[in-house]
Amino acid sequence: MTIRVMLVDDQVLLRTGFRMVLAAQPDMEVVAEAGDGVEALQVLRSAAVDVILMDVRMPKLDGVEATRRICSEPDPPKVLILTTFDLDEYAFSGLKAGASGFMLKDVPPGDLLAAIRAVHSGDAVVAPSTTRRLLDRFAPMLPATGKEPRHKELERLTEREREVMVLVAQGLSNGEIAARLVLSEATVKTHVGRILTKLGLRDRVQVVVLAYETGLVRAGGHG
């Protein structure tokens, strides 16, 4: 199955470079391009797209607002934010807007291709260390919380699901969570799926953001 990719960046040269890398892949095809968020929204009306590589800093409409609008549509394509700095408030805002992850623009081609495939299959793509650094830096911008998690939704989770959510938010993979809790990886995957369903979240990135927002996990520390 071919992954249909859209490139959204105001730098033509950068789009050309990405297009050449993707065109060499048997399972990927660049089906659309846009130079800013407004154009991206227009193009999406007539193009069938699976994954969008989205620049954040663009004229007319930036990538964060474009991502927010795209992800509010029914059955939207997955969005992978491209940023120049890994500690970028735009990247953090992009995750909150519904992006499935973010990558640095100078990422090695192999990593970019792996990220596109992972996002297409439903995984989130944010390196745990980068997620932690991002959230540690921008947690002060999140709503202040008391000792108890603020969101009522968390009460829907079982004790075990809450445990798993904390570990997801700390950046652990399913395998690492399985080892920590002495569970099978399949069981952890089931728990993660139930967490996403109960909380109405799209992917692990949104689990991480919600865990910080609700105070389930503290910036710079654990839950």
Side-chain angles (χ1 to χ4, degrees):
M1 184 173 137
T2 303
I3 302 172
R4 299 164 298 187
V5 181
M6 179 178 186
L7 305 176
V8 184
D9 197 300
D10 59 335
Q11 296 178 49
V12 178
L13 200 60
L14 206 70
R15 293 207 310 266
T16 303
F18 282 138
R19 194 189 320 119
M20 288 171 65
V21 170
L22 300 183
Q25 303 305 305
D27 61 339
M28 292 184 198
E29 181 187 359
V30 176
V31 295
E33 294 187 36
D36 60 63
V38 172
E39 190 185 349
L41 293 169
Q42 291 169 343
V43 171
L44 272 176
R45 291 191 191 120
S46 57
V49 175
D50 299 312
V51 177
I52 300 173
L53 295 186
M54 177 79 75
D55 185 24
V56 280
R57 303 181 190 218
M58 295 181 293
K60 296 186 187 173
L61 187 69
D62 67 36
V64 174
E65 183 55 32
T67 297
R68 185 174 290 111
R69 294 187 194 182
I70 289 165
C71 291
S72 67
E73 294 290 322
D75 196 24
K78 300 290 172 57
V79 178
L80 195 53
I81 294 277
L82 293 173
T83 179
T84 312
F85 311 104
D86 68 348
L87 284 182
D88 190 338
E89 69 272 18
Y90 285 95
F92 179 74
S93 301
L95 297 182
K96 289 201 67 177
S100 293
F102 72 92
M103 303 290 289
L104 294 177
K105 283 190 176 181
D106 60 358
V107 65
D111 290 357
L112 177 68
L113 297 170
I116 292 170
R117 292 184 181 106
V119 164
H120 181 248
S121 71
D123 286 337
V125 178
V126 186
S129 59
T130 308
T131 309
R132 277 199 290 268
R133 291 207 308 281
L134 253 187
L135 289 167
D136 287 351
R137 174 164 170 185
F138 295 111
M141 295 160 52
L142 296 173
T145 57
K147 188 155 188 180
E148 286 302 308
R150 184 172 46 87
H151 284 230
K152 284 282 185 190
E153 300 98 281
L154 294 186
E155 293 174 6
R156 299 174 194 160
L157 301 182
T158 65
E159 193 60 43
R160 177 63 91 189
E161 286 163 357
R162 192 179 286 229
E163 241 180 318
V164 170
M165 182 172 176
V166 168
L167 296 177
V168 167
Q170 289 170 7
L172 274 66
S173 68
N174 285 355
E176 291 166 337
I177 294 171
R180 179 81 62 91
L181 299 180
V182 197
L183 299 168
S184 73
E185 205 165 326
T187 301
V188 172
K189 197 170 180 183
T190 301
H191 282 313
V192 172
R194 284 186 186 143
I195 292 166
L196 295 177
T197 302
K198 286 184 178 182
L199 301 181
L201 303 175
R202 188 177 292 110
D203 53 39
R204 296 170 83 98
V205 170
Q206 294 191 331
V207 171
V208 174
V209 173
L210 183 67
Y212 273 76
E213 281 187 324
T214 56
L216 190 63
V217 171
R218 305 281 177 216
H222 303 309

